[in-house]
Amino acid sequence: MYQSLESTITSEVAAHVHIRYGITLPVVIEQPKQSSFGEMALPIAFQLAKELRRAPKAIATELIEELPAIDGVSKMEVAGNGYINLRLNRAAYAINALAGITVAAQTSGKIIVEHTNINPNKAAHIGHLRNAILGDTFVRMLRAAGNQVEVQNYIDNTGVQVADVVVGFHYLEKKSTAEVKALAAAPRFDYLCWDLYARTSSYYTDHKEALDWRAQTLHAIEAGEGELAELATIVADAIVACHLKTMLRLGVVYDVLPRESEILHLQFWAKAFELLKERKAIELAAEGKNKGCWVMRAEAFASSDDEDMDKVIVRSNGTVTYVGKDIAYQMWKFGLLGKDFFYRLWHTYPDGKQLFASSDVPADANHKFGAGSKVFNVIDSRQSYLQDVVVAGLKALGFNEQAANSIHFSYEMVALSPRTCVELDIDLSDEDKKRPYVEVSGRKGLGVKADDLIDKLIENASREVDARHADKSEADRKKAATAIAIGALRYFMLKYTRTSVIAFDFQEALSFEGETGPYVLYATIRSRNILKKYGPELPDFKSVLTADVFSRQLQDEDLWQYILAATRLDSAIDKALTAGEPAHMARFAFQLAQSFTNFYHGYQVLSEQDKEKQVFLLWLTEQFRSQLERALGVLGVEMPDFM
RNA sequence: GCGCCUGUAGCUCAGCUGGAUAGAGCAACUGGCUUCGAACCAGUAGGCCGGGGGUUCGAAUCCCUCCGGGCGCACCA
């Protein structure tokens, strides 16, 4: 409701300003610092003051006199040096909120969001959790605003990391294919590979000659033949299954898994290579350190034309680098490659949703993916250099529009707090101990595994639930504890803005008090309980609550403020999307919960004697409940039945 | 050296892309459970928004500069 009023006001004021002054300005609506100033504030006079070279206050006064009446606004007044404060028609606002008036969703083309992208060679860790939760929440925000979204999780199943685990099994552990297959079918295969990967990595540092095994393995994988290639497939497929399972625990699902193996087999790169050469986006270096390589000139992606900065796309031995493959993949996402994958059903989620993976054999699955109009790549900020190169590639090919619509949805890494490192027995240098956070290495097998963290959170939540609800069955308690734990985790990962490094600390992550997911859940449960415990059937609000009733009840300033708070969700989603910041969404949900909690303490709904007021309070409670649940849905947090 | 990010309460962070008296949570202190469940609430205390210049009606926010911290800058992904 709030959002639709906002859009009415901005468009009417903008139209007036355009006609009256011949100036086109974006009209901004702010929330006054003090509620006594009114519900909305327009700083438009300040914006106009620059162009008109007149005092803001005079312009504001003039605007108020000349602006035609706006539906829903009862009063306008000049305040401060030139603010225009608006007071709303409370009863009309409430009536519209009751009717569920919303802004029509905008329809644009398909948006592709790529996230998670974990190397399929070891268990997921907390850094991957941030990526997936950020990506998944952004997807939910986009969908809540009416966009069509496709979620992709890219699988690099032919890379060095997978090869290293294969080297570990084959050369170090001397395992047969059958043995590896058996291990892959057993639980916690991702944990086993986590350790094996670390062991192989450290083996290389002492035995440089072993790097030859890696080269052989990579070669075999690329050729797609022999025992080593088969091992790679077993490992990668089994680990992908582990990752999907971990992500499903968090409510994160995907539409399609484009895999690097098909990018290779279906000659995506060859096609892109032709185009890059044809349009002179890359050139063959005739001399210098990159002699014999196809390179993208530095000037295309950096503010330098230094030859040393040129990026190699095709190595002197003719093989393509990661960036090259990524350019091909990015082109496919926009439907620019003139090629598509085949697809096969990878698996079906418990709710019936189907997940497809790319395939190189023609199948009858009639599914089409890719060819989006806008692409968000959720990748941590350490890869911004490579993302810049990919975008520069599109630009060099002449795809300027697509380059502009390729968005690196970057975020900072998840490091560990020194305290948590100590808990995990990670050796720290004296220098590290002084830092606020320490970056840990997956290659060394250090870090916090995603499933371990989730297990620990569930354990914690279980303790609380068990203590409060001895009467419930163990299964019900476990279910509630799981929902609370996941809510806590998702909120924790979301409450930091993208540019903030998370110094992961067990104590903080395991906290269920204050600005946390459980706080929001608790408020929602309370709203639900009031409605549940109200004896008779809930009244039919739409017929009982008339404009008269609203204008009587809304003379209470606090109640009016609660209505405003409980009708802002759509506006909040919109703003968070514009800012590209899921953290704003999380914060809004928290503030909404705070607002309801205040209402909860200020008004006794069930014991209210005045019948008319009670119906009104019930409706307000219901309004809070539905908005809180929707907000949690956007955050991907599921409700426990009790807590 | 070049590029990107960053410095706000004791700690962890917001601050809606220039607006009114800079906000939360944690920790600390004082209170509140026979109430729609205290995973909560009310209150107290805590800030030269890293320093200095500039832009203007107005700066935590934009520009310059200095200081401090992080991350990138492979024929690895």
Side-chain angles (χ1 to χ4, degrees):
Chain A
M1 174 54 213
Y2 192 83
Q3 190 189 22
S4 76
L5 190 53
E6 275 182 322
S7 72
T8 310
I9 292 170
T10 45
S11 63
E12 293 207 13
V13 172
H16 175 77
V17 166
H18 182 70
I19 293 167
R20 175 67 173 76
Y21 303 105
I23 295 172
T24 308
L25 274 178
V27 176
V28 179
I29 296 184
E30 290 171 8
Q31 207 182 325
K33 289 269 172 189
Q34 279 180 34
S35 55
S36 60
F37 289 158
E39 288 77 33
M40 294 178 177
L42 303 176
I44 183 82
F46 296 116
Q47 295 165 267
L48 284 169
K50 271 203 183 92
E51 310 254 359
L52 299 175
R53 300 187 158 277
R54 286 172 53 199
K57 202 161 182 172
I59 298 172
T61 311
E62 188 172 277
L63 276 170
I64 286 185
E65 279 167 16
E66 296 177 358
L67 265 171
I70 300 173
D71 224 19
V73 177
S74 65
K75 204 171 157 197
M76 289 190 250
E77 55 203 36
V78 181
N81 289 329
Y83 268 102
I84 297 177
N85 288 340
L86 306 186
R87 291 182 193 278
L88 305 182
N89 181 335
R90 300 183 177 187
Y93 185 90
I95 287 284
N96 284 336
L98 179 60
I101 304 262
T102 52
V103 176
Q106 79 274 28
T107 44
S108 56
K110 178 166 78 179
I111 296 174
I112 290 176
V113 177
E114 178 203 344
H115 67 76
T116 306
N117 301 3
I118 313 174
N119 265 306
N121 77 323
K122 62 178 181 304
H125 59 63
I126 49 176
H128 300 129
L129 286 181
R130 187 177 195 183
N131 183 304
I133 290 171
L134 212 45
D136 182 65
T137 304
F138 190 59
V139 168
R140 289 167 190 266
M141 287 162 59
L142 285 167
R143 286 183 174 150
N147 295 288
Q148 187 200 347
V149 185
E150 177 177 303
V151 186
Q152 303 185 356
N153 175 8
Y154 182 72
I155 308 293
D156 181 6
N157 57 348
T158 63
V160 176
Q161 294 213 19
V162 170
D164 283 346
V165 170
V166 171
V167 167
F169 277 126
H170 185 79
Y171 293 99
L172 299 182
E173 306 259 296
K174 315 269 185 223
K175 295 266 193 253
S176 71
T177 307
E179 284 171 314
V180 175
K181 216 177 237 169
L183 287 170
R188 302 265 175 175
F189 180 61
D190 51 346
Y191 279 41
L192 186 125
C193 291
W194 173 286
D195 295 332
L196 183 57
Y197 177 55
R199 219 172 326 139
T200 308
S201 295
S202 80
Y203 189 85
Y204 288 143
T205 51
D206 302 331
H207 307 81
K208 295 289 176 208
E209 73 282 0
L211 287 169
D212 207 37
W213 295 339
R214 176 198 268 175
Q216 281 173 33
T217 306
L218 277 170
H219 191 76
I221 291 173
E222 191 149 344
E225 284 168 3
E227 196 184 347
L228 290 170
E230 197 184 337
L231 280 176
T233 303
I234 294 167
V235 169
D237 285 0
I239 298 284
V240 166
C242 292
H243 291 163
L244 292 177
K245 211 165 152 192
T246 302
M247 293 307 161
L248 187 59
R249 295 180 84 184
L250 301 167
V252 177
V253 298
Y254 312 89
D255 294 315
V256 63
L257 309 176
R259 307 191 311 165
E260 184 150 286
S261 49
E262 280 77 40
I263 294 218
L264 292 173
H265 297 162
L266 294 173
Q267 312 289 318
F268 274 33
W269 165 245
K271 189 76 191 279
F273 192 25
E274 266 173 46
L275 268 171
L276 286 163
K277 280 191 285 194
E278 186 184 304
R279 305 201 179 175
K280 310 236 183 286
I282 58 176
E283 60 189 63
L284 188 58
E287 54 192 340
K289 67 166 191 162
N290 293 329
K291 185 175 176 186
C293 299
W294 285 87
V295 301
M296 187 180 298
R297 299 295 312 275
E299 61 198 20
F301 54 88
S303 53
S304 153
D305 56 0
D306 187 350
E307 262 181 61
D308 284 349
M309 300 286 289
D310 290 352
K311 180 71 198 166
V312 172
I313 305 295
V314 178
R315 304 182 186 98
S316 53
N317 68 5
T319 56
V320 58
T321 60
Y322 165 76
V323 192
K325 281 179 275 194
D326 216 21
I327 291 174
Y329 175 34
Q330 190 75 2
M331 287 173 70
W332 168 79
K333 284 182 190 163
F334 281 111
L336 297 174
L337 205 56
K339 265 179 168 313
D340 196 1
F341 296 109
F342 299 110
Y343 300 97
R344 68 189 165 94
L345 183 63
W346 180 271
H347 86 216
T348 305
Y349 287 109
D351 68 352
K353 178 185 165 58
Q354 294 184 315
L355 169 64
F356 290 84
S358 60
S359 163
D360 50 10
V361 290
D364 50 12
N366 227 350
H367 287 82
K368 280 241 166 271
F369 296 98
S373 60
K374 197 163 186 176
V375 172
F376 289 90
N377 295 326
V378 182
I379 306 177
D380 81 73
S381 64
R382 285 172 291 193
Q383 305 217 39
S384 58
Y385 164 71
L386 294 168
Q387 285 291 302
D388 288 347
V389 175
V390 170
V391 172
L394 288 181
K395 228 180 267 176
L397 286 165
F399 299 123
N400 288 316
E401 192 190 325
Q402 287 81 359
N405 284 324
S406 297
I407 294 152
H408 177 196
F409 199 80
S410 79
Y411 62 92
E412 280 290 342
M413 64 176 168
V414 180
L416 298 184
S417 74
R419 182 170 62 184
T420 291
C421 288
V422 171
E423 282 177 55
L424 294 170
D425 290 323
I426 294 173
D427 283 335
L428 291 185
S429 64
D430 290 340
E431 232 172 79
D432 280 344
K433 280 177 192 153
K434 283 185 230 150
R435 292 176 205 264
Y437 52 83
V438 184
E439 187 181 0
V440 289
S441 158
R443 238 159 30 94
K444 290 181 185 158
L446 303 177
V448 178
K449 295 185 193 81
D451 282 310
D452 285 350
L453 175 60
I454 298 171
D455 290 344
K456 225 166 166 163
L457 281 158
I458 293 176
E459 220 175 276
N460 259 30
S462 285
R463 257 199 300 279
E464 299 285 334
V465 172
D466 291 352
R468 288 155 212 253
H469 298 283
D471 55 314
K472 307 277 193 201
S473 78
E474 197 182 327
D476 284 349
R477 278 181 282 149
K478 173 85 180 189
K479 202 176 146 213
T482 303
I484 293 164
I486 299 303
L489 178 55
R490 288 192 65 125
Y491 194 93
F492 177 82
M493 287 293 175
L494 289 170
K495 75 182 200 181
Y496 300 89
T497 50
R498 293 194 280 131
T499 53
S500 177
V501 175
I502 297 182
F504 180 84
D505 187 273
F506 270 116
Q507 205 161 307
E508 272 176 47
L510 293 174
S511 163
F512 292 162
E513 283 164 21
E515 196 195 334
T516 64
Y519 179 97
V520 184
L521 288 173
Y522 194 62
T524 314
I525 291 272
R526 281 172 146 180
S527 67
R528 230 187 224 183
N529 284 346
I530 293 175
L531 297 164
K532 213 188 292 172
K533 288 193 180 168
Y534 177 73
E537 284 278 300
L538 285 180
D540 175 20
F541 296 123
K542 285 189 189 179
S543 62
V544 181
L545 293 169
T546 61
D548 276 353
V549 175
F550 278 132
S551 53
R552 266 196 298 279
Q553 297 302 329
L554 290 173
Q555 279 167 25
D556 183 327
E557 183 63 31
D558 288 341
L559 288 177
W560 168 235
Q561 292 304 324
Y562 288 131
I563 293 226
L564 284 172
T567 48
R568 276 207 168 110
L569 178 58
D570 287 301
S571 168
I573 293 172
D574 203 53
K575 282 180 185 138
L577 274 174
T578 309
E581 191 51 90
H584 291 169
M585 208 51 237
R587 188 157 275 266
F588 173 80
F590 175 66
Q591 284 167 348
L592 182 61
Q594 265 187 325
S595 183
F596 173 73
T597 303
N598 286 334
F599 165 73
Y600 177 89
H601 284 281
Y603 296 84
Q604 288 286 315
V605 179
L606 297 185
S607 61
E608 176 59 52
Q609 293 304 307
D610 179 339
K611 278 294 156 203
E612 179 183 288
K613 184 165 187 184
Q614 186 178 43
V615 171
F616 173 78
L617 293 177
L618 275 170
W619 172 68
L620 185 47
T621 304
E622 164 58 20
Q623 188 67 26
F624 266 119
R625 184 206 59 79
S626 73
Q627 297 290 289
L628 278 165
E629 288 194 12
R630 261 191 76 207
L632 285 168
V634 174
L635 295 179
V637 175
E638 249 181 79
M639 286 287 297
D641 293 327
F642 55 88
M643 71 184 283

